Amino acid sequence: MDDEPDVLSMVSDYLGRGGCHVSRCANGAELDRAIDMVAPDLVVLDVNLPGEDGISIARRLRATKQVPIVMLTALADTIDRVVGLEVGADDYVTKPFDLRELAARVHAVLRRAQAAGGCPAVPQRPQSARERRQLNVACFGEAFLDFDARRLIDRNGADLPITATEFEMLSTFAQHPNKVLTRDRLLGDSSEHGSGCCDRAIDIRVTRIRKRIEVNPTRPQVIRTVRSVGYVYVPPA
Protein backbone atom coordinates (compact mmCIF):
# COMPACT_ATOMS: atom_id res chain seq x y z
CA MET A 1 0.00 0.00 0.00
CA ASP A 2 1.59 3.26 -1.18
CA ASP A 3 0.41 6.65 -2.46
CA GLU A 4 3.14 6.82 -5.13
CA PRO A 5 1.86 5.01 -8.25
CA ASP A 6 5.37 4.16 -9.50
CA VAL A 7 6.41 2.66 -6.14
CA LEU A 8 3.08 0.84 -5.78
CA SER A 9 3.41 -0.67 -9.27
CA MET A 10 7.07 -1.60 -8.80
CA VAL A 11 6.53 -3.31 -5.45
CA SER A 12 3.36 -5.16 -6.45
CA ASP A 13 4.89 -6.36 -9.73
CA TYR A 14 8.04 -7.60 -8.00
CA LEU A 15 6.19 -9.42 -5.24
CA GLY A 16 3.77 -10.82 -7.80
CA ARG A 17 6.63 -12.27 -9.83
CA GLY A 18 7.86 -13.86 -6.62
CA GLY A 19 4.63 -15.82 -6.21
CA CYS A 20 2.57 -13.43 -4.06
CA HIS A 21 -1.02 -12.51 -4.93
CA VAL A 22 -1.00 -8.72 -4.54
CA SER A 23 -3.83 -6.17 -4.19
CA ARG A 24 -2.80 -2.55 -4.79
CA CYS A 25 -4.22 0.14 -2.52
CA ALA A 26 -3.43 3.86 -2.55
CA ASN A 27 -5.16 4.86 0.72
CA GLY A 28 -6.94 3.55 3.79
CA ALA A 29 -10.37 3.41 2.17
CA GLU A 30 -9.09 1.22 -0.67
CA LEU A 31 -7.35 -1.05 1.83
CA ASP A 32 -10.56 -1.47 3.84
CA ARG A 33 -12.47 -2.45 0.71
CA ALA A 34 -9.77 -4.92 -0.32
CA ILE A 35 -9.73 -6.53 3.14
CA ASP A 36 -13.52 -6.83 3.09
CA MET A 37 -13.23 -8.82 -0.14
CA VAL A 38 -10.25 -11.04 0.72
CA ALA A 39 -8.51 -11.36 4.10
CA PRO A 40 -4.79 -10.70 3.44
CA ASP A 41 -1.90 -12.78 4.78
CA LEU A 42 0.20 -9.61 5.16
CA VAL A 43 -0.03 -5.85 4.62
CA VAL A 44 2.86 -3.72 3.32
CA LEU A 45 2.01 -0.24 4.58
CA ASP A 46 3.65 3.12 3.80
CA VAL A 47 3.77 5.60 6.68
CA ASN A 48 3.18 8.68 4.50
CA LEU A 49 -0.29 8.35 2.95
CA PRO A 50 -2.90 10.93 2.00
CA GLY A 51 -5.76 11.25 4.44
CA GLU A 52 -5.34 8.58 7.11
CA ASP A 53 -1.62 7.95 7.57
CA GLY A 54 0.05 4.57 7.82
CA ILE A 55 0.54 4.76 11.59
CA SER A 56 -3.18 5.33 12.14
CA ILE A 57 -4.08 2.51 9.75
CA ALA A 58 -1.64 0.13 11.46
CA ARG A 59 -3.10 0.98 14.87
CA ARG A 60 -6.62 0.36 13.56
CA LEU A 61 -5.67 -2.93 11.91
CA ARG A 62 -3.88 -4.18 14.99
CA ALA A 63 -6.90 -3.42 17.19
CA THR A 64 -9.17 -5.71 15.18
CA LYS A 65 -7.04 -8.14 13.16
CA GLN A 66 -4.01 -10.39 13.50
CA VAL A 67 -2.67 -9.65 10.00
CA PRO A 68 1.13 -9.09 9.95
CA ILE A 69 2.28 -5.60 8.93
CA VAL A 70 5.51 -4.48 7.25
CA MET A 71 5.93 -0.69 7.34
CA LEU A 72 7.71 1.45 4.74
CA THR A 73 9.35 4.56 6.20
CA ALA A 74 11.64 7.35 5.00
CA LEU A 75 15.32 6.78 5.83
CA ALA A 76 15.58 9.71 8.26
CA ASP A 77 12.26 9.16 10.04
CA THR A 78 13.45 7.13 13.04
CA ILE A 79 10.46 8.34 15.03
CA ASP A 80 8.12 6.80 12.43
CA ARG A 81 9.86 3.46 12.75
CA VAL A 82 9.63 3.55 16.53
CA VAL A 83 5.97 4.58 16.53
CA GLY A 84 5.22 1.95 13.88
CA LEU A 85 6.66 -0.74 16.11
CA GLU A 86 4.77 0.64 19.09
CA VAL A 87 1.42 0.26 17.32
CA GLY A 88 2.21 -3.31 16.35
CA ALA A 89 4.11 -3.45 13.04
CA ASP A 90 6.06 -6.70 12.64
CA ASP A 91 8.94 -5.18 10.65
CA TYR A 92 9.87 -2.09 8.67
CA VAL A 93 11.90 -1.23 5.56
CA THR A 94 13.39 2.20 4.96
CA LYS A 95 13.14 4.14 1.70
CA PRO A 96 14.88 3.99 -0.68
CA PHE A 97 14.91 0.21 -0.46
CA ASP A 98 16.12 -2.74 -2.47
CA LEU A 99 13.20 -4.80 -3.74
CA ARG A 100 15.07 -7.98 -2.82
CA GLU A 101 15.33 -6.85 0.80
CA LEU A 102 11.64 -5.97 0.91
CA ALA A 103 10.70 -9.37 -0.53
CA ALA A 104 13.00 -11.13 1.94
CA ARG A 105 11.44 -9.32 4.89
CA VAL A 106 7.91 -9.98 3.64
CA HIS A 107 8.64 -13.69 3.33
CA ALA A 108 10.38 -13.75 6.73
CA VAL A 109 7.35 -12.18 8.43
CA LEU A 110 5.03 -14.56 6.58
CA ARG A 111 7.08 -17.54 7.76
CA ARG A 112 6.88 -16.33 11.35
CA ALA A 113 3.15 -15.71 11.09
CA GLN A 114 2.24 -18.98 9.40
CA ALA A 115 0.24 -21.05 11.83
CA ALA A 116 -0.24 -24.77 11.95
CA GLY A 117 -3.33 -25.86 9.99
CA GLY A 118 -6.50 -24.90 11.82
CA CYS A 119 -6.99 -23.50 15.29
CA PRO A 120 -7.74 -26.12 17.92
CA ALA A 121 -10.03 -25.38 20.81
CA VAL A 122 -8.52 -23.06 23.41
CA PRO A 123 -7.37 -25.03 26.46
CA GLN A 124 -8.46 -23.99 29.89
CA ARG A 125 -5.83 -22.87 32.34
CA PRO A 126 -3.51 -25.81 33.10
CA GLN A 127 -2.91 -26.61 36.74
CA SER A 128 0.55 -28.13 36.57
CA ALA A 129 3.81 -28.07 34.62
CA ARG A 130 3.06 -31.61 33.43
CA GLU A 131 -0.33 -30.55 32.04
CA ARG A 132 1.24 -27.55 30.33
CA ARG A 133 3.79 -29.78 28.60
CA GLN A 134 1.03 -32.13 27.45
CA LEU A 135 -0.98 -29.22 26.01
CA ASN A 136 2.11 -27.66 24.42
CA VAL A 137 1.60 -24.30 26.09
CA ALA A 138 3.86 -22.14 28.23
CA CYS A 139 2.72 -20.07 31.20
CA PHE A 140 3.56 -16.35 31.10
CA GLY A 141 2.14 -14.85 34.26
CA GLU A 142 -1.49 -14.00 33.57
CA ALA A 143 -1.44 -15.61 30.11
CA PHE A 144 -0.54 -18.79 28.24
CA LEU A 145 1.29 -19.19 24.95
CA ASP A 146 -0.29 -21.89 22.76
CA PHE A 147 2.48 -23.07 20.42
CA ASP A 148 0.26 -25.21 18.18
CA ALA A 149 -2.31 -22.50 17.51
CA ARG A 150 0.25 -19.66 17.75
CA ARG A 151 -2.00 -17.78 20.17
CA LEU A 152 -1.66 -15.92 23.44
CA ILE A 153 -4.64 -16.58 25.72
CA ASP A 154 -5.75 -15.27 29.10
CA ARG A 155 -6.90 -17.31 32.10
CA ASN A 156 -10.42 -17.57 30.67
CA GLY A 157 -9.21 -18.86 27.30
CA ALA A 158 -9.83 -15.56 25.45
CA ASP A 159 -7.36 -14.43 22.79
CA LEU A 160 -4.93 -11.64 23.61
CA PRO A 161 -3.53 -9.56 20.72
CA ILE A 162 -0.09 -10.69 19.58
CA THR A 163 2.02 -10.06 16.48
CA ALA A 164 4.18 -12.64 14.73
CA THR A 165 7.36 -11.09 16.12
CA GLU A 166 5.93 -11.01 19.65
CA PHE A 167 4.99 -14.69 19.35
CA GLU A 168 8.55 -15.53 18.25
CA MET A 169 9.96 -13.52 21.16
CA LEU A 170 7.79 -15.35 23.70
CA SER A 171 8.71 -18.67 22.08
CA THR A 172 12.38 -17.82 22.49
CA PHE A 173 11.83 -16.95 26.15
CA ALA A 174 9.91 -20.21 26.69
CA GLN A 175 12.78 -22.21 25.21
CA HIS A 176 15.31 -20.53 27.53
CA PRO A 177 13.69 -20.16 30.97
CA ASN A 178 15.74 -18.47 33.71
CA LYS A 179 18.47 -17.57 31.20
CA VAL A 180 19.47 -14.02 30.38
CA LEU A 181 18.85 -13.28 26.69
CA THR A 182 20.54 -10.31 25.06
CA ARG A 183 18.66 -7.95 22.77
CA ASP A 184 20.73 -9.27 19.84
CA ARG A 185 19.50 -12.80 20.64
CA LEU A 186 15.91 -11.58 20.73
CA LEU A 187 16.22 -9.50 17.59
CA GLY A 188 16.02 -12.45 15.22
CA ASP A 189 15.31 -11.57 11.61
CA SER A 190 15.64 -7.81 12.20
CA SER A 191 19.37 -7.97 12.94
CA GLU A 192 20.35 -6.10 9.77
CA HIS A 193 18.92 -2.83 11.06
CA GLY A 194 20.92 -0.26 13.03
CA SER A 195 21.60 -1.43 16.56
CA GLY A 196 20.21 1.64 18.35
CA CYS A 197 16.78 1.48 16.78
CA CYS A 198 16.76 -2.31 17.06
CA ASP A 199 17.39 -2.18 20.81
CA ARG A 200 14.49 0.25 21.05
CA ALA A 201 12.32 -2.13 19.00
CA ILE A 202 13.00 -4.99 21.42
CA ASP A 203 12.23 -2.78 24.44
CA ILE A 204 8.96 -1.67 22.84
CA ARG A 205 7.87 -5.25 22.20
CA VAL A 206 8.73 -6.33 25.74
CA THR A 207 6.74 -3.39 27.11
CA ARG A 208 3.71 -4.34 25.01
CA ILE A 209 3.95 -7.98 26.10
CA ARG A 210 4.25 -7.06 29.77
CA LYS A 211 0.96 -5.13 29.61
CA ARG A 212 -0.76 -8.40 28.67
CA ILE A 213 0.96 -10.91 30.93
CA GLU A 214 2.12 -9.14 34.11
CA VAL A 215 -0.03 -8.52 37.16
CA ASN A 216 1.74 -5.18 37.48
CA PRO A 217 3.57 -4.24 34.25
CA THR A 218 5.49 -1.47 36.04
CA ARG A 219 7.03 -4.09 38.38
CA PRO A 220 7.47 -7.08 36.06
CA GLN A 221 8.03 -10.50 37.59
CA VAL A 222 7.68 -12.75 34.52
CA ILE A 223 9.95 -11.02 32.00
CA ARG A 224 12.55 -9.16 34.02
CA THR A 225 15.09 -6.62 32.84
CA VAL A 226 18.79 -7.32 33.26
CA ARG A 227 20.31 -3.88 33.10
CA SER A 228 22.65 -3.23 30.17
CA VAL A 229 22.28 -6.84 28.99
CA GLY A 230 18.72 -7.88 28.09
CA TYR A 231 15.87 -9.82 29.64
CA VAL A 232 15.15 -13.06 31.51
CA TYR A 233 11.93 -15.11 31.55
CA VAL A 234 11.06 -16.43 35.00
CA PRO A 235 8.44 -19.22 34.70
CA PRO A 236 6.18 -20.22 37.58
CA ALA A 237 7.46 -22.86 39.95
Side-chain angles (χ1 to χ4, degrees), residues 11-130:
V11 169
S12 60
D13 289 347
Y14 188 85
L15 293 177
R17 290 196 300 270
C20 298
H21 178 73
V22 181
S23 297
R24 304 181 186 184
C25 304
N27 53 54
E30 290 186 13
L31 177 63
D32 290 340
R33 287 194 292 270
I35 291 177
D36 287 340
M37 295 177 62
V38 180
D41 295 318
L42 180 141
V43 172
V44 179
L45 185 60
D46 194 355
V47 170
N48 297 311
L49 291 170
E52 186 180 14
D53 63 41
I55 298 295
S56 176
I57 293 172
R59 182 182 292 110
R60 180 162 57 81
L61 287 176
R62 185 56 66 225
T64 59
K65 304 181 186 304
Q66 296 298 316
V67 59
I69 300 171
V70 175
M71 302 287 292
L72 302 180
T73 70
L75 183 60
D77 292 339
T78 301
I79 187 62
D80 284 341
R81 299 199 295 273
V82 171
V83 173
L85 292 167
E86 286 179 333
V87 300
D90 292 276
D91 204 350
Y92 62 85
V93 178
T94 56
K95 294 182 177 181
F97 54 82
D98 187 303
L99 287 170
R100 292 170 297 181
E101 180 189 1
L102 174 60
R105 294 199 173 279
V106 164
H107 287 298
V109 171
L110 283 172
R111 285 195 301 271
R112 294 198 299 263
Q114 185 177 17
C119 290
V122 177
Q124 296 301 312
R125 183 172 187 257
Q127 297 300 312
S128 68
R130 180 181 179 183

Side-chain angles (χ1 to χ4, degrees), residues 79-215:
I79 187 62
D80 284 341
R81 299 199 295 273
V82 171
V83 173
L85 292 167
E86 286 179 333
V87 300
D90 292 276
D91 204 350
Y92 62 85
V93 178
T94 56
K95 294 182 177 181
F97 54 82
D98 187 303
L99 287 170
R100 292 170 297 181
E101 180 189 1
L102 174 60
R105 294 199 173 279
V106 164
H107 287 298
V109 171
L110 283 172
R111 285 195 301 271
R112 294 198 299 263
Q114 185 177 17
C119 290
V122 177
Q124 296 301 312
R125 183 172 187 257
Q127 297 300 312
S128 68
R130 180 181 179 183
E131 289 177 305
R132 289 196 294 271
R133 287 193 297 270
Q134 291 173 340
L135 289 172
N136 199 22
V137 300
C139 179
F140 281 88
E142 296 295 289
F144 298 90
L145 192 69
D146 185 333
F147 295 101
D148 293 331
R150 296 181 68 88
R151 300 159 74 188
L152 184 66
I153 56 178
D154 66 16
R155 290 171 179 258
N156 297 316
D159 282 308
L160 296 170
I162 187 172
T163 67
T165 48
E166 289 167 354
F167 178 87
E168 294 300 331
M169 178 181 289
L170 287 174
S171 297
T172 301
F173 278 126
Q175 293 164 18
H176 302 87
N178 299 308
K179 294 183 180 179
V180 178
L181 300 180
T182 66
R183 290 177 175 81
D184 287 341
R185 176 66 182 82
L186 294 168
L187 203 54
D189 291 327
S190 299
S191 59
E192 295 177 13
H193 295 303
S195 59
C197 192
C198 284
D199 287 351
R200 176 62 175 152
I202 294 299
D203 295 340
I204 289 170
R205 286 169 185 155
V206 169
T207 298
R208 285 204 308 258
I209 289 170
R210 282 171 169 167
K211 291 178 180 178
R212 298 164 197 156
I213 69 172
E214 299 278 0
V215 174

